[in-house]
Amino acid sequence: MKLLIGPSRAAYIGPGLNLEPHLNAACTLAFSLNEPMLLRTWSKMKGWSDWNQVSAALIPGGTLHHLKCSDQAKMVFYYLDPLQDKARLVTETLLHEARNTLCGIDSARLSLKDIEGCFPRCSRPESSSRIRHVLEEIEACPARFNSIEEAASLACLSSSRFRALFAQEVGLPFRRYRLWRRMAHVAQAVSKGASLTDAALGAGFSDSAHLSTSFKTMFGISPGFLLSKDVEICCEVG
């Protein structure tokens, strides 16, 4: 079981876990390499969908979903980068071609670059200087920006204009993107030996309980549970 953390993308490789319904910040590609999984999604208009049996699925960011698979399932979750990846380019054909490729690679040797290579790179237009400045600050100091007003002030925009422009250029709402990058910083810190508490505080969470709640909402399990499974965290250089 391992977590692969890159500069902008991430992946989980390991057995199926008893995940609770959760809402990922970034678009997620889910693959079960040896047996089907069950997936359902929730919407305000229709509630929960029927369970669908799939072996590969694209789950848009911000989508509440519930995924079930056995403990014997060999899973890959690949989290796209909202700044560089366009989920609309990931077709059903491409998904299943990627799954076939991943099935042919020893999971113990599977790298983030192997997964990235299954999908086309098509970056968004470069962000404006105002939004880019905020993005750089989030990377340099993830604990900064406790409110959207602080970020809007740095961008010299009103809160409403900043909120709209950020979502337009980044592809995610400001708070969801900030949370996604804070999670990446936590993983990087833990991989270097930091405790969950120190990693949480360094990334801008009020304490480890705040991190645990946010992590479970985003991934369906607590970080403590994941670490108890001796997950290997590998930070890969881009």
Side-chain angles (χ1 to χ4, degrees), residues 168-220:
Q168 174 187 323
E169 295 191 8
V170 176
L172 288 180
F174 168 74
R175 289 187 175 88
R176 201 192 310 162
Y177 181 84
R178 180 191 61 185
L179 179 60
W180 175 238
R181 296 313 301 155
R182 284 181 172 181
M183 289 297 183
H185 280 274
V186 166
Q188 291 163 359
V190 171
S191 75
K192 297 175 183 177
S195 67
L196 276 180
T197 297
D198 289 343
L201 294 175
F205 296 96
S206 57
D207 52 31
S208 59
H210 181 201
L211 166 63
S212 184
T213 298
S214 300
F215 192 96
K216 192 169 185 178
T217 298
M218 185 178 291
F219 298 109

Side-chain angles (χ1 to χ4, degrees), residues 2 26-27 76 80 83 94 110 122 127-128 140 146 150 159 166-168 185 195 232 234:
K2 57 185 177 180
C27 179
V76 174
L80 300 184
L83 295 178
L94 186 58
L110 190 60
C122 185
S127 301
S128 63
N146 288 321
E150 291 180 50
S159 296
F166 190 96
Q168 174 187 323
H185 280 274
S195 67
E232 178 185 4
C234 306

Side-chain angles (χ1 to χ4, degrees), residues 9 84-86 89-90 94 116-123:
R9 303 181 185 92
Q84 299 186 58
D85 302 317
K86 291 185 178 180
L89 297 180
V90 182
L94 186 58
E116 290 174 342
C118 295
F119 302 97
R121 299 273 71 83
C122 185
S123 61

Side-chain angles (χ1 to χ4, degrees), residues 215-229:
F215 192 96
K216 192 169 185 178
T217 298
M218 185 178 291
F219 298 109
I221 53 174
S222 71
F225 174 82
L226 193 59
L227 292 177
S228 74
K229 299 297 183 181

Side-chain angles (χ1 to χ4, degrees), residues 5-23:
I5 309 297
S8 56
R9 303 181 185 92
Y12 163 84
I13 302 168
L17 299 172
N18 187 25
L19 303 178
E20 296 184 11
H22 57 287
L23 188 153

